[in-house]
Amino acid sequence: MRKEQKVICADGGANRLFDYWEEINQLELRDKFIPNVICGDFDSISPSTQSYYSSKGSEMKHITCQDTTDLEKCLKLVPEAQRILVVGSLGGNVSQELSNMNVLYSHSQEILLYGRENLIFLLSPHHSHFIHCKEGTKVGLIPLGNPCESVDSKGLKWDIGGRKLEFGGLVSTSNEISSSPILIKSSHPLLFSIDFRK
């Protein structure tokens, strides 16, 4: 990890990080990955996890507001210009995943949601996005939150060809990279998902 990078854990995420090293049988690495800050309403963090990271120098930011999620609380601690990778934000509770995706629409930072099998980020409208992926990788173009009146693509197995994507209509799931980089341009914000599974 580079010095300019900062690790911020939501309170429940700190439990996950703490347990992870035991799950993969590499406890010796636990001391090498200490969050700079643990943030949230602290309704999820276990006393043992909080005690451990406090003793290692992690700053505890207790924010009691219930109108924002722990992810939103964490994002307030990150300067606007930074790229943000949210590890562990996919692959669990579906309503929590949808809440995390909602955050992509309400924040101006470049945010990537990462799970063990997927990566999701938001494509801004009216911009040509060139995305590098291995040929054969499964991808999705998801019009969550709004219809996309027009989506153009090049390099997908099933290119969209200017068609409208919307829930209740056409949604491009389990599409596939046929040549890289691919090009995506849409009339409205559009979620792009990458599937790491083979």
Side-chain angles (χ1 to χ4, degrees):
M1 190 168 64
R2 296 193 302 270
K3 285 185 177 180
E4 66 271 21
Q5 292 177 322
K6 189 172 189 178
V7 176
I8 301 172
C9 274
D11 57 3
N15 291 332
R16 185 72 188 91
L17 178 64
F18 182 84
D19 294 339
Y20 175 72
W21 306 111
E22 188 170 355
E23 289 173 13
I24 65 169
N25 205 22
Q26 299 214 10
L27 277 173
E28 69 278 3
L29 294 178
R30 187 180 276 164
D31 282 349
K32 298 184 188 298
F33 292 88
I34 304 298
N36 300 93
V37 182
I38 297 175
C39 175
D41 55 14
F42 285 43
D43 62 342
S44 305
I45 191 169
S46 72
S48 59
T49 299
Q50 185 172 354
S51 174
Y52 174 79
Y53 285 125
S54 289
S55 73
K56 298 294 182 182
S58 295
E59 179 184 355
M60 300 292 157
K61 279 270 193 188
H62 187 193
I63 303 172
T64 58
C65 174
Q66 293 299 306
D67 293 332
T68 56
T69 65
D70 284 345
L71 174 57
E72 290 173 299
K73 292 176 176 68
C74 290
L75 290 174
K76 289 180 180 178
L77 304 176
V78 182
E80 285 288 320
Q82 293 190 0
R83 175 182 290 174
I84 302 165
L85 178 65
V86 185
V87 178
S89 52
L90 302 171
N93 180 305
V94 172
S95 63
Q96 188 65 53
E97 289 180 343
L98 288 169
S99 174
N100 292 340
M101 292 177 206
N102 178 59
V103 166
L104 300 181
Y105 288 82
S106 59
H107 287 72
S108 60
Q109 297 110 314
E110 183 182 358
I111 302 172
L112 298 94
L113 303 179
Y114 176 80
R116 289 186 178 183
E117 297 179 335
N118 301 94
L119 179 73
I120 293 178
F121 51 93
L122 189 65
L123 302 178
S124 56
H126 313 296
H127 180 78
S128 296
H129 297 273
F130 292 91
I131 303 169
H132 295 263
C133 286
K134 183 179 177 182
E135 290 182 19
T137 299
K138 298 285 187 189
V139 298
L141 290 83
I142 317 296
L144 186 67
N146 51 261
C148 287
E149 295 296 330
S150 173
V151 179
D152 277 310
S153 66
K154 290 182 182 176
L156 295 176
K157 186 173 183 179
W158 296 283
D159 274 321
I160 310 303
R163 286 181 289 174
K164 180 178 182 178
L165 296 183
E166 64 178 335
F167 275 81
L170 178 64
V171 176
S172 181
T173 60
S174 298
N175 210 323
E176 192 173 303
I177 304 291
S178 62
S179 63
S180 186
I182 62 168
L183 168 64
I184 307 288
K185 188 172 183 179
S186 63
S187 61
H188 294 78
L190 183 66
L191 285 179
F192 187 79
S193 67
I194 301 171
D195 190 341
F196 301 132
R197 291 172 294 184
K198 294 181 179 179

